[in-house]
Amino acid sequence: MSGAVNLPARRWVRVERRERIAQDIVALDLVDDEGGELPVFEAGAHIELFLPGGMIRPYSLYGDPSDRRRYRIAVLREPASRGGSVAVHELLLPWTRLQIGPPKARFPLDAQAPKVLLLAGGIGLTPLLSMAAVLARGARPFALHLACRSAARVPFGTGLRDLPGAGDAVVHLDDGDPAQRLDLPALLAAQPPDAALQVCGPAGLIDAALAEARRQGWAESRLHWERFAADPALEGGDGRPVEEDEAFEVELAHSGRVISVRADQTVVEALGAEGIEILTSCGEGVCGTCLTRVIAGEPDHRDQYLTPEEQAAGDQFLPCCSRAKSSRLVLDL
């Protein structure tokens, strides 16, 4: 078996507008290349950009989901970028054409909570802005809090409050007056019973917010989060160094082929070496692009994409980072 699998539908768009909205952050408006309407998306959804050089990168949509004329993304240029954010910053100029995948909703807005606390760190603000627009339009109670290192790094700067739903955003700066810095225990304690937490940003903020919410007794069903990247300090998603991993086999159910995965390889790398391509994006188990069905065997989940319940089911995994607890996995390939 060869060729690509799991190919998503694509459509051509062009960059209608580009703006620098903070230090190292650019915002892009993408419109259909033929002037048509774009597919509806849910608040919190992301799209994948098919960038020059074969790179595929997911970025959250920050615009109002009711606006079908354009998709809006904002991208931070990462110092340790593997090329995606650099390509966005250097190559996606006004009128540039590119392909995108359909919107994917893996970070949905809690539709039941009487109040929603939107908590962001830096560029993690983007999916929360689409949520704020929906909540404001529906007159649902919510609060939007943003933590940044400095004023220069606040996405949209003083224009943040002009965006739909962001008029009452509270900004916390690490280098500002200590009295306005983010106080997680106080912020969470001030929320009403049954409030929902939607948090996005660096792993440190997410982990701290979730730990404090659980300490205060928040129901697990009211905790929702999205990480923009895997923790760079971890080689495997569960903290084990790669050299401690063991080799295993994957069997391709459609052809019966059996391929060995070395201890220092990912499943994607092992398959690629045999001419079997699986579409990937982040390569870190965050975006879900390479999600593959498992027919038999026990996956060793290393991702941050599947929920604990989905991981426990054992019928799908992310071959870009996850491995096997059994000696063989049979995959729906």
Side-chain angles (χ1 to χ4, degrees):
M1 176 181 177
S2 62
V5 297
N6 295 338
L7 286 173
R10 305 185 191 183
R11 70 187 300 126
W12 283 99
V13 298
R14 57 182 168 81
V15 179
E16 181 186 58
R17 181 171 174 270
R18 171 190 168 109
E19 180 184 3
R20 183 178 182 274
I21 59 168
Q23 181 178 330
D24 296 326
I25 301 176
V26 295
L28 304 177
D29 285 4
L30 307 175
V31 298
D32 184 82
D33 193 46
E34 297 181 355
E37 289 190 331
L38 295 167
V40 173
F41 70 93
E42 294 183 34
H46 69 268
I47 56 171
E48 290 167 336
L49 306 188
F50 292 79
L51 298 168
M55 292 180 291
I56 308 168
R57 296 293 185 269
Y59 294 106
S60 292
L61 295 164
Y62 78 81
D64 188 333
S66 66
D67 182 1
R68 297 190 59 187
R69 199 188 70 81
R70 59 186 175 178
Y71 285 161
R72 313 189 81 178
I73 62 172
V75 179
L76 170 69
R77 180 167 183 153
E78 295 281 1
S81 170
R82 293 179 295 118
S85 68
V86 171
V88 171
H89 275 248
E90 296 185 356
L91 302 178
L92 297 191
L93 305 176
W95 297 101
T96 301
R97 297 175 71 245
L98 72 153
Q99 287 185 305
I100 62 171
K104 296 181 179 180
R106 292 295 301 186
F107 182 42
L109 174 63
D110 192 315
Q112 305 300 323
K115 180 182 178 182
V116 180
L117 172 60
L118 305 175
L119 177 59
I123 195 62
L125 174 69
T126 49
L128 302 186
L129 284 175
S130 65
M131 295 182 185
V134 169
L135 290 166
R137 187 167 59 247
R140 289 183 57 194
F142 73 97
L144 174 60
H145 288 252
L146 169 65
C148 292
R149 280 185 283 170
S150 66
R153 295 183 176 276
V154 175
F156 305 99
T158 57
L160 171 63
R161 291 177 174 80
D162 296 328
L163 296 175
D168 295 323
V170 179
V171 178
H172 307 271
L173 302 178
D174 291 348
D175 65 354
D177 183 346
Q180 57 75 57
R181 292 178 186 170
L182 180 62
D183 184 342
L184 277 174
L187 177 61
L188 292 169
Q191 306 310 308
D194 296 327
L197 172 65
Q198 309 264 173
V199 56
C200 184
L205 172 66
I206 293 174
D207 292 342
L210 295 177
E212 180 59 28
R214 288 166 179 147
R215 189 190 70 79
Q216 293 188 18
W218 285 52
E220 198 68 29
S221 62
R222 291 296 189 236
L223 304 180
H224 313 280
W225 65 94
E226 181 176 63
R227 302 175 191 269
F228 274 177
D231 188 340
L234 305 180
E235 295 291 340
D238 62 352
R240 292 180 296 162
V242 168
E243 56 265 28
E244 294 182 7
D245 287 327
E246 296 181 357
F248 61 98
E249 295 177 333
V250 293
E251 178 181 338
L252 311 184
H254 295 182
S255 65
R257 290 183 63 184
V258 176
I259 295 171
S260 297
V261 182
R262 300 193 313 265
D264 63 345
Q265 276 184 314
T266 66
V267 175
V268 167
E269 290 169 342
L271 294 177
E274 297 294 326
I276 302 158
E277 299 177 4
I278 291 182
L279 190 67
T280 64
S281 179
C282 70
E284 299 174 327
V286 175
C287 71
T289 298
C290 64
L291 186 66
T292 301
R293 191 164 78 92
V294 176
I295 297 174
E298 183 180 5
D300 182 3
H301 296 288
R302 309 287 183 85
D303 67 279
Q304 300 177 53
Y305 178 79
L306 296 173
T307 66
E309 293 78 14
E310 289 171 331
Q311 290 184 346
D315 58 358
Q316 54 187 339
F317 87 138
L318 279 297
C320 68
C321 64
S322 295
R323 302 184 66 78
K325 293 182 179 179
S326 54
S327 60
R328 178 180 292 187
L329 292 178
V330 180
L331 305 180
D332 186 19
L333 295 175

